Every structure is written in structure tokens, then in C-alpha cells.
PDB file of all heavy atoms in Angstrom:
ATOM      1  N   ALA A   1     174.597 273.887  50.500  1.00 97.00           N
ATOM      2  CA  ALA A   1     173.215 273.863  50.002  1.00 97.00           C
ATOM      3  C   ALA A   1     172.981 275.011  49.028  1.00 97.00           C
ATOM      4  O   ALA A   1     172.260 274.865  48.030  1.00 97.00           O
ATOM      5  CB  ALA A   1     172.233 273.946  51.169  1.00 97.00           C
ATOM      6  N   HIS A   2     173.596 276.161  49.292  1.00 98.00           N
ATOM      7  CA  HIS A   2     173.487 277.305  48.383  1.00 98.00           C
ATOM      8  C   HIS A   2     174.097 276.965  47.028  1.00 98.00           C
ATOM      9  O   HIS A   2     173.539 277.308  45.976  1.00 98.00           O
ATOM     10  CB  HIS A   2     174.204 278.525  48.978  1.00 98.00           C
ATOM     11  CG  HIS A   2     173.450 279.193  50.078  1.00 98.00           C
ATOM     12  ND1 HIS A   2     172.748 280.367  49.908  1.00 98.00           N
ATOM     13  CD2 HIS A   2     173.269 278.841  51.380  1.00 98.00           C
ATOM     14  CE1 HIS A   2     172.185 280.720  51.047  1.00 98.00           C
ATOM     15  NE2 HIS A   2     172.492 279.802  51.962  1.00 98.00           N
ATOM     16  N   LYS A   3     175.228 276.293  47.046  1.00 97.00           N
ATOM     17  CA  LYS A   3     175.914 275.954  45.796  1.00 97.00           C
ATOM     18  C   LYS A   3     175.047 275.066  44.916  1.00 97.00           C
ATOM     19  O   LYS A   3     174.969 275.256  43.690  1.00 97.00           O
ATOM     20  CB  LYS A   3     177.250 275.265  46.098  1.00 97.00           C
ATOM     21  CG  LYS A   3     178.275 276.151  46.786  1.00 97.00           C
ATOM     22  CD  LYS A   3     178.672 277.331  45.903  1.00 97.00           C
ATOM     23  CE  LYS A   3     179.737 278.183  46.562  1.00 97.00           C
ATOM     24  NZ  LYS A   3     180.072 279.388  45.742  1.00 97.00           N
ATOM     25  N   VAL A   4     174.391 274.087  45.524  1.00 97.00           N
ATOM     26  CA  VAL A   4     173.522 273.177  44.763  1.00 97.00           C
ATOM     27  C   VAL A   4     172.381 273.949  44.109  1.00 97.00           C
ATOM     28  O   VAL A   4     172.120 273.823  42.906  1.00 97.00           O
ATOM     29  CB  VAL A   4     172.968 272.066  45.680  1.00 97.00           C
ATOM     30  CG1 VAL A   4     171.894 271.251  44.943  1.00 97.00           C
ATOM     31  CG2 VAL A   4     174.085 271.154  46.152  1.00 97.00           C
ATOM     32  N   LEU A   5     171.689 274.769  44.894  1.00 98.00           N
ATOM     33  CA  LEU A   5     170.537 275.501  44.365  1.00 98.00           C
ATOM     34  C   LEU A   5     170.958 276.574  43.362  1.00 98.00           C
ATOM     35  O   LEU A   5     170.266 276.813  42.374  1.00 98.00           O
ATOM     36  CB  LEU A   5     169.746 276.124  45.515  1.00 98.00           C
ATOM     37  CG  LEU A   5     169.009 275.125  46.408  1.00 98.00           C
ATOM     38  CD1 LEU A   5     168.390 275.828  47.603  1.00 98.00           C
ATOM     39  CD2 LEU A   5     167.942 274.372  45.628  1.00 98.00           C
ATOM     40  N   GLU A   6     172.091 277.222  43.606  1.00 97.00           N
ATOM     41  CA  GLU A   6     172.601 278.202  42.634  1.00 97.00           C
ATOM     42  C   GLU A   6     172.842 277.534  41.282  1.00 97.00           C
ATOM     43  O   GLU A   6     172.518 278.097  40.224  1.00 97.00           O
ATOM     44  CB  GLU A   6     173.902 278.815  43.144  1.00 97.00           C
ATOM     45  CG  GLU A   6     173.738 279.821  44.264  1.00 97.00           C
ATOM     46  CD  GLU A   6     175.082 280.264  44.813  1.00 97.00           C
ATOM     47  OE1 GLU A   6     176.134 279.907  44.225  1.00 97.00           O
ATOM     48  OE2 GLU A   6     175.099 280.964  45.840  1.00 97.00           O
ATOM     49  N   ASN A   7     173.410 276.339  41.319  1.00 96.00           N
ATOM     50  CA  ASN A   7     173.675 275.590  40.088  1.00 96.00           C
ATOM     51  C   ASN A   7     172.378 275.261  39.359  1.00 96.00           C
ATOM     52  O   ASN A   7     172.264 275.445  38.138  1.00 96.00           O
ATOM     53  CB  ASN A   7     174.432 274.311  40.430  1.00 96.00           C
ATOM     54  CG  ASN A   7     174.733 273.467  39.210  1.00 96.00           C
ATOM     55  OD1 ASN A   7     175.034 273.985  38.137  1.00 96.00           O
ATOM     56  ND2 ASN A   7     174.641 272.158  39.358  1.00 96.00           N
ATOM     57  N   TYR A   8     171.374 274.810  40.097  1.00 96.00           N
ATOM     58  CA  TYR A   8     170.095 274.443  39.489  1.00 96.00           C
ATOM     59  C   TYR A   8     169.378 275.669  38.930  1.00 96.00           C
ATOM     60  O   TYR A   8     168.818 275.628  37.819  1.00 96.00           O
ATOM     61  CB  TYR A   8     169.197 273.750  40.520  1.00 96.00           C
ATOM     62  CG  TYR A   8     169.650 272.371  40.936  1.00 96.00           C
ATOM     63  CD1 TYR A   8     169.055 271.705  42.000  1.00 96.00           C
ATOM     64  CD2 TYR A   8     170.691 271.718  40.272  1.00 96.00           C
ATOM     65  CE1 TYR A   8     169.449 270.441  42.379  1.00 96.00           C
ATOM     66  CE2 TYR A   8     171.108 270.449  40.650  1.00 96.00           C
ATOM     67  CZ  TYR A   8     170.472 269.817  41.710  1.00 96.00           C
ATOM     68  OH  TYR A   8     170.879 268.566  42.091  1.00 96.00           O
ATOM     69  N   ILE A   9     169.383 276.771  39.684  1.00 96.00           N
ATOM     70  CA  ILE A   9     168.734 278.002  39.219  1.00 96.00           C
ATOM     71  C   ILE A   9     169.395 278.495  37.932  1.00 96.00           C
ATOM     72  O   ILE A   9     168.729 278.931  36.992  1.00 96.00           O
ATOM     73  CB  ILE A   9     168.796 279.084  40.323  1.00 96.00           C
ATOM     74  CG1 ILE A   9     167.878 278.695  41.482  1.00 96.00           C
ATOM     75  CG2 ILE A   9     168.413 280.457  39.772  1.00 96.00           C
ATOM     76  CD1 ILE A   9     168.041 279.557  42.716  1.00 96.00           C
ATOM     77  N   GLY A  10     170.730 278.390  37.875  1.00 95.00           N
ATOM     78  CA  GLY A  10     171.468 278.834  36.700  1.00 95.00           C
ATOM     79  C   GLY A  10     171.168 278.037  35.451  1.00 95.00           C
ATOM     80  O   GLY A  10     171.395 278.511  34.329  1.00 95.00           O
ATOM     81  N   LYS A  11     170.652 276.822  35.625  1.00 93.00           N
ATOM     82  CA  LYS A  11     170.335 275.971  34.475  1.00 93.00           C
ATOM     83  C   LYS A  11     168.970 276.279  33.861  1.00 93.00           C
ATOM     84  O   LYS A  11     168.659 275.778  32.778  1.00 93.00           O
ATOM     85  CB  LYS A  11     170.361 274.496  34.895  1.00 93.00           C
ATOM     86  CG  LYS A  11     171.744 273.957  35.217  1.00 93.00           C
ATOM     87  CD  LYS A  11     171.672 272.488  35.601  1.00 93.00           C
ATOM     88  CE  LYS A  11     173.059 271.922  35.860  1.00 93.00           C
ATOM     89  NZ  LYS A  11     173.016 270.487  36.222  1.00 93.00           N
ATOM     90  N   MET A  12     168.159 277.079  34.540  1.00 93.00           N
ATOM     91  CA  MET A  12     166.806 277.342  34.061  1.00 93.00           C
ATOM     92  C   MET A  12     166.669 278.792  33.608  1.00 93.00           C
ATOM     93  O   MET A  12     166.886 279.731  34.393  1.00 93.00           O
ATOM     94  CB  MET A  12     165.781 277.025  35.165  1.00 93.00           C
ATOM     95  CG  MET A  12     165.834 275.564  35.612  1.00 93.00           C
ATOM     96  SD  MET A  12     164.434 275.090  36.649  1.00 93.00           S
ATOM     97  CE  MET A  12     163.070 275.219  35.483  1.00 93.00           C
ATOM     98  N   ASP A  13     166.292 278.974  32.349  1.00 88.00           N
ATOM     99  CA  ASP A  13     166.177 280.313  31.765  1.00 88.00           C
ATOM    100  C   ASP A  13     165.100 281.154  32.444  1.00 88.00           C
ATOM    101  O   ASP A  13     165.142 282.384  32.389  1.00 88.00           O
ATOM    102  CB  ASP A  13     165.860 280.217  30.270  1.00 88.00           C
ATOM    103  CG  ASP A  13     167.021 279.636  29.474  1.00 88.00           C
ATOM    104  OD1 ASP A  13     168.161 279.695  29.976  1.00 88.00           O
ATOM    105  OD2 ASP A  13     166.779 279.128  28.366  1.00 88.00           O
ATOM    106  N   SER A  14     164.134 280.493  33.072  1.00 88.00           N
ATOM    107  CA  SER A  14     163.015 281.215  33.682  1.00 88.00           C
ATOM    108  C   SER A  14     163.326 281.713  35.090  1.00 88.00           C
ATOM    109  O   SER A  14     162.505 282.416  35.683  1.00 88.00           O
ATOM    110  CB  SER A  14     161.781 280.311  33.722  1.00 88.00           C
ATOM    111  OG  SER A  14     162.099 279.094  34.373  1.00 88.00           O
ATOM    112  N   LEU A  15     164.496 281.341  35.639  1.00 94.00           N
ATOM    113  CA  LEU A  15     164.833 281.713  37.009  1.00 94.00           C
ATOM    114  C   LEU A  15     166.041 282.641  37.059  1.00 94.00           C
ATOM    115  O   LEU A  15     166.944 282.566  36.226  1.00 94.00           O
ATOM    116  CB  LEU A  15     165.130 280.460  37.844  1.00 94.00           C
ATOM    117  CG  LEU A  15     164.030 279.401  37.937  1.00 94.00           C
ATOM    118  CD1 LEU A  15     164.475 278.267  38.849  1.00 94.00           C
ATOM    119  CD2 LEU A  15     162.723 280.001  38.417  1.00 94.00           C
ATOM    120  N   GLN A  16     166.052 283.481  38.087  1.00 95.00           N
ATOM    121  CA  GLN A  16     167.164 284.401  38.312  1.00 95.00           C
ATOM    122  C   GLN A  16     167.445 284.453  39.813  1.00 95.00           C
ATOM    123  O   GLN A  16     166.528 284.596  40.619  1.00 95.00           O
ATOM    124  CB  GLN A  16     166.804 285.803  37.809  1.00 95.00           C
ATOM    125  CG  GLN A  16     167.881 286.852  38.043  1.00 95.00           C
ATOM    126  CD  GLN A  16     167.412 288.238  37.628  1.00 95.00           C
ATOM    127  OE1 GLN A  16     166.244 288.580  37.816  1.00 95.00           O
ATOM    128  NE2 GLN A  16     168.290 289.019  37.052  1.00 95.00           N
ATOM    129  N   LEU A  17     168.721 284.321  40.189  1.00 97.00           N
ATOM    130  CA  LEU A  17     169.082 284.384  41.598  1.00 97.00           C
ATOM    131  C   LEU A  17     169.043 285.833  42.073  1.00 97.00           C
ATOM    132  O   LEU A  17     169.765 286.689  41.570  1.00 97.00           O
ATOM    133  CB  LEU A  17     170.480 283.794  41.812  1.00 97.00           C
ATOM    134  CG  LEU A  17     170.973 283.770  43.262  1.00 97.00           C
ATOM    135  CD1 LEU A  17     170.076 282.892  44.118  1.00 97.00           C
ATOM    136  CD2 LEU A  17     172.424 283.283  43.331  1.00 97.00           C
ATOM    137  N   ALA A  18     168.194 286.095  43.070  1.00 97.00           N
ATOM    138  CA  ALA A  18     168.068 287.450  43.616  1.00 97.00           C
ATOM    139  C   ALA A  18     168.994 287.662  44.802  1.00 97.00           C
ATOM    140  O   ALA A  18     169.426 288.790  45.059  1.00 97.00           O
ATOM    141  CB  ALA A  18     166.626 287.715  44.038  1.00 97.00           C
ATOM    142  N   GLY A  19     169.295 286.590  45.543  1.00 97.00           N
ATOM    143  CA  GLY A  19     170.161 286.756  46.700  1.00 97.00           C
ATOM    144  C   GLY A  19     170.332 285.478  47.488  1.00 97.00           C
ATOM    145  O   GLY A  19     169.664 284.471  47.247  1.00 97.00           O
ATOM    146  N   ASN A  20     171.265 285.528  48.449  1.00 98.00           N
ATOM    147  CA  ASN A  20     171.559 284.414  49.342  1.00 98.00           C
ATOM    148  C   ASN A  20     171.491 284.907  50.779  1.00 98.00           C
ATOM    149  O   ASN A  20     172.101 285.922  51.115  1.00 98.00           O
ATOM    150  CB  ASN A  20     172.958 283.849  49.089  1.00 98.00           C
ATOM    151  CG  ASN A  20     173.139 283.330  47.682  1.00 98.00           C
ATOM    152  OD1 ASN A  20     173.240 284.100  46.729  1.00 98.00           O
ATOM    153  ND2 ASN A  20     173.207 282.023  47.523  1.00 98.00           N
ATOM    154  N   CYS A  21     170.774 284.196  51.628  1.00 98.00           N
ATOM    155  CA  CYS A  21     170.708 284.526  53.047  1.00 98.00           C
ATOM    156  C   CYS A  21     171.057 283.277  53.852  1.00 98.00           C
ATOM    157  O   CYS A  21     170.670 282.162  53.484  1.00 98.00           O
ATOM    158  CB  CYS A  21     169.323 285.028  53.436  1.00 98.00           C
ATOM    159  SG  CYS A  21     168.883 286.615  52.672  1.00 98.00           S
ATOM    160  N   TYR A  22     171.757 283.476  54.971  1.00 98.00           N
ATOM    161  CA  TYR A  22     172.243 282.348  55.754  1.00 98.00           C
ATOM    162  C   TYR A  22     171.552 282.233  57.114  1.00 98.00           C
ATOM    163  O   TYR A  22     171.949 281.425  57.946  1.00 98.00           O
ATOM    164  CB  TYR A  22     173.764 282.450  55.914  1.00 98.00           C
ATOM    165  CG  TYR A  22     174.470 282.296  54.587  1.00 98.00           C
ATOM    166  CD1 TYR A  22     174.656 283.394  53.749  1.00 98.00           C
ATOM    167  CD2 TYR A  22     174.883 281.043  54.132  1.00 98.00           C
ATOM    168  CE1 TYR A  22     175.268 283.247  52.502  1.00 98.00           C
ATOM    169  CE2 TYR A  22     175.487 280.896  52.894  1.00 98.00           C
ATOM    170  CZ  TYR A  22     175.677 282.000  52.088  1.00 98.00           C
ATOM    171  OH  TYR A  22     176.266 281.852  50.848  1.00 98.00           O
ATOM    172  N   SER A  23     170.501 283.016  57.313  1.00 97.00           N
ATOM    173  CA  SER A  23     169.677 282.902  58.517  1.00 97.00           C
ATOM    174  C   SER A  23     168.297 283.455  58.203  1.00 97.00           C
ATOM    175  O   SER A  23     168.107 284.210  57.239  1.00 97.00           O
ATOM    176  CB  SER A  23     170.291 283.683  59.679  1.00 97.00           C
ATOM    177  OG  SER A  23     170.183 285.082  59.454  1.00 97.00           O
ATOM    178  N   ALA A  24     167.313 283.073  59.030  1.00 96.00           N
ATOM    179  CA  ALA A  24     165.952 283.552  58.831  1.00 96.00           C
ATOM    180  C   ALA A  24     165.868 285.067  59.034  1.00 96.00           C
ATOM    181  O   ALA A  24     165.170 285.770  58.297  1.00 96.00           O
ATOM    182  CB  ALA A  24     165.002 282.831  59.787  1.00 96.00           C
ATOM    183  N   ALA A  25     166.605 285.579  60.021  1.00 96.00           N
ATOM    184  CA  ALA A  25     166.573 287.023  60.283  1.00 96.00           C
ATOM    185  C   ALA A  25     167.111 287.810  59.091  1.00 96.00           C
ATOM    186  O   ALA A  25     166.546 288.836  58.702  1.00 96.00           O
ATOM    187  CB  ALA A  25     167.396 287.337  61.534  1.00 96.00           C
ATOM    188  N   GLU A  26     168.189 287.310  58.496  1.00 97.00           N
ATOM    189  CA  GLU A  26     168.751 287.956  57.310  1.00 97.00           C
ATOM    190  C   GLU A  26     167.747 287.941  56.159  1.00 97.00           C
ATOM    191  O   GLU A  26     167.601 288.929  55.425  1.00 97.00           O
ATOM    192  CB  GLU A  26     170.043 287.248  56.905  1.00 97.00           C
ATOM    193  CG  GLU A  26     170.775 287.903  55.749  1.00 97.00           C
ATOM    194  CD  GLU A  26     172.020 287.129  55.320  1.00 97.00           C
ATOM    195  OE1 GLU A  26     172.354 286.119  55.981  1.00 97.00           O
ATOM    196  OE2 GLU A  26     172.635 287.534  54.310  1.00 97.00           O
ATOM    197  N   ALA A  27     167.027 286.821  56.033  1.00 97.00           N
ATOM    198  CA  ALA A  27     166.043 286.691  54.946  1.00 97.00           C
ATOM    199  C   ALA A  27     164.870 287.642  55.145  1.00 97.00           C
ATOM    200  O   ALA A  27     164.371 288.237  54.183  1.00 97.00           O
ATOM    201  CB  ALA A  27     165.555 285.253  54.864  1.00 97.00           C
ATOM    202  N   ILE A  28     164.418 287.797  56.388  1.00 96.00           N
ATOM    203  CA  ILE A  28     163.299 288.704  56.660  1.00 96.00           C
ATOM    204  C   ILE A  28     163.684 290.134  56.271  1.00 96.00           C
ATOM    205  O   ILE A  28     162.892 290.861  55.646  1.00 96.00           O
ATOM    206  CB  ILE A  28     162.895 288.626  58.148  1.00 96.00           C
ATOM    207  CG1 ILE A  28     162.249 287.263  58.442  1.00 96.00           C
ATOM    208  CG2 ILE A  28     161.934 289.755  58.509  1.00 96.00           C
ATOM    209  CD1 ILE A  28     161.979 287.010  59.914  1.00 96.00           C
ATOM    210  N   ASN A  29     164.886 290.539  56.606  1.00 96.00           N
ATOM    211  CA  ASN A  29     165.361 291.878  56.238  1.00 96.00           C
ATOM    212  C   ASN A  29     165.465 292.029  54.720  1.00 96.00           C
ATOM    213  O   ASN A  29     165.119 293.071  54.164  1.00 96.00           O
ATOM    214  CB  ASN A  29     166.723 292.153  56.881  1.00 96.00           C
ATOM    215  CG  ASN A  29     166.622 292.330  58.378  1.00 96.00           C
ATOM    216  OD1 ASN A  29     165.598 292.774  58.892  1.00 96.00           O
ATOM    217  ND2 ASN A  29     167.667 291.960  59.099  1.00 96.00           N
ATOM    218  N   PHE A  30     165.929 290.970  54.052  1.00 97.00           N
ATOM    219  CA  PHE A  30     166.062 291.001  52.589  1.00 97.00           C
ATOM    220  C   PHE A  30     164.686 291.192  51.947  1.00 97.00           C
ATOM    221  O   PHE A  30     164.525 291.990  51.016  1.00 97.00           O
ATOM    222  CB  PHE A  30     166.708 289.705  52.106  1.00 97.00           C
ATOM    223  CG  PHE A  30     167.025 289.689  50.640  1.00 97.00           C
ATOM    224  CD1 PHE A  30     168.305 289.983  50.185  1.00 97.00           C
ATOM    225  CD2 PHE A  30     166.050 289.383  49.691  1.00 97.00           C
ATOM    226  CE1 PHE A  30     168.601 289.973  48.826  1.00 97.00           C
ATOM    227  CE2 PHE A  30     166.325 289.376  48.341  1.00 97.00           C
ATOM    228  CZ  PHE A  30     167.621 289.669  47.901  1.00 97.00           C
ATOM    229  N   LEU A  31     163.686 290.462  52.430  1.00 95.00           N
ATOM    230  CA  LEU A  31     162.343 290.524  51.844  1.00 95.00           C
ATOM    231  C   LEU A  31     161.683 291.881  52.061  1.00 95.00           C
ATOM    232  O   LEU A  31     160.770 292.248  51.318  1.00 95.00           O
ATOM    233  CB  LEU A  31     161.470 289.407  52.433  1.00 95.00           C
ATOM    234  CG  LEU A  31     161.848 287.981  52.001  1.00 95.00           C
ATOM    235  CD1 LEU A  31     161.055 286.958  52.810  1.00 95.00           C
ATOM    236  CD2 LEU A  31     161.610 287.776  50.511  1.00 95.00           C
ATOM    237  N   GLN A  32     162.116 292.602  53.079  1.00 94.00           N
ATOM    238  CA  GLN A  32     161.581 293.944  53.303  1.00 94.00           C
ATOM    239  C   GLN A  32     162.151 294.949  52.308  1.00 94.00           C
ATOM    240  O   GLN A  32     161.539 295.986  52.049  1.00 94.00           O
ATOM    241  CB  GLN A  32     161.895 294.387  54.735  1.00 94.00           C
ATOM    242  CG  GLN A  32     161.098 293.631  55.789  1.00 94.00           C
ATOM    243  CD  GLN A  32     161.507 293.979  57.207  1.00 94.00           C
ATOM    244  OE1 GLN A  32     162.570 294.565  57.442  1.00 94.00           O
ATOM    245  NE2 GLN A  32     160.672 293.623  58.163  1.00 94.00           N
ATOM    246  N   ARG A  33     163.319 294.611  51.722  1.00 94.00           N
ATOM    247  CA  ARG A  33     163.977 295.528  50.780  1.00 94.00           C
ATOM    248  C   ARG A  33     163.739 295.162  49.323  1.00 94.00           C
ATOM    249  O   ARG A  33     163.682 296.026  48.464  1.00 94.00           O
ATOM    250  CB  ARG A  33     165.504 295.529  51.009  1.00 94.00           C
ATOM    251  CG  ARG A  33     165.957 295.905  52.388  1.00 94.00           C
ATOM    252  CD  ARG A  33     167.487 296.092  52.404  1.00 94.00           C
ATOM    253  NE  ARG A  33     168.184 294.977  51.791  1.00 94.00           N
ATOM    254  CZ  ARG A  33     168.654 293.932  52.469  1.00 94.00           C
ATOM    255  NH1 ARG A  33     168.491 293.868  53.780  1.00 94.00           N
ATOM    256  NH2 ARG A  33     169.294 292.965  51.844  1.00 94.00           N
ATOM    257  N   GLU A  34     163.636 293.850  49.062  1.00 94.00           N
ATOM    258  CA  GLU A  34     163.629 293.366  47.677  1.00 94.00           C
ATOM    259  C   GLU A  34     162.370 292.559  47.405  1.00 94.00           C
ATOM    260  O   GLU A  34     161.802 291.932  48.292  1.00 94.00           O
ATOM    261  CB  GLU A  34     164.852 292.472  47.434  1.00 94.00           C
ATOM    262  CG  GLU A  34     166.165 293.118  47.790  1.00 94.00           C
ATOM    263  CD  GLU A  34     166.872 293.666  46.578  1.00 94.00           C
ATOM    264  OE1 GLU A  34     166.345 293.530  45.462  1.00 94.00           O
ATOM    265  OE2 GLU A  34     167.958 294.235  46.767  1.00 94.00           O
TER     266      GLU A  34
END
């Protein structure tokens, strides 16, 4: 699923990939930093 979305994000000049998280807990920690 990450590969699909990474590909789509890369096709749009207005978007930039900030990161990938593989669990909700990892994402919560990421959002506290970035």
C-alpha cells in the first residue's frame, strides 16, 4: 500500500512524501516530531 501511494505522491508536483509509518503508534510519535 505504501508503494502505491508513494508512486502517486511522486507524480504530483504539489505533494512531498514526509514519511512512512507502519502502525498507528509509530504515526502518533511521528506527528509529535514533524
Side-chain angles (χ1 to χ4, degrees):
H2 284 257
K3 294 297 182 184
V4 171
L5 291 174
E6 286 174 8
N7 179 37
Y8 290 170
I9 290 170
K11 290 181 177 181
M12 300 192 66
D13 292 339
S14 54
L15 302 182
Q16 178 185 37
L17 181 63
N20 300 73
C21 294
Y22 294 85
S23 71
E26 185 183 356
I28 291 172
N29 290 331
F30 186 98
L31 290 171
Q32 290 174 344
R33 302 189 311 266
E34 306 261 359

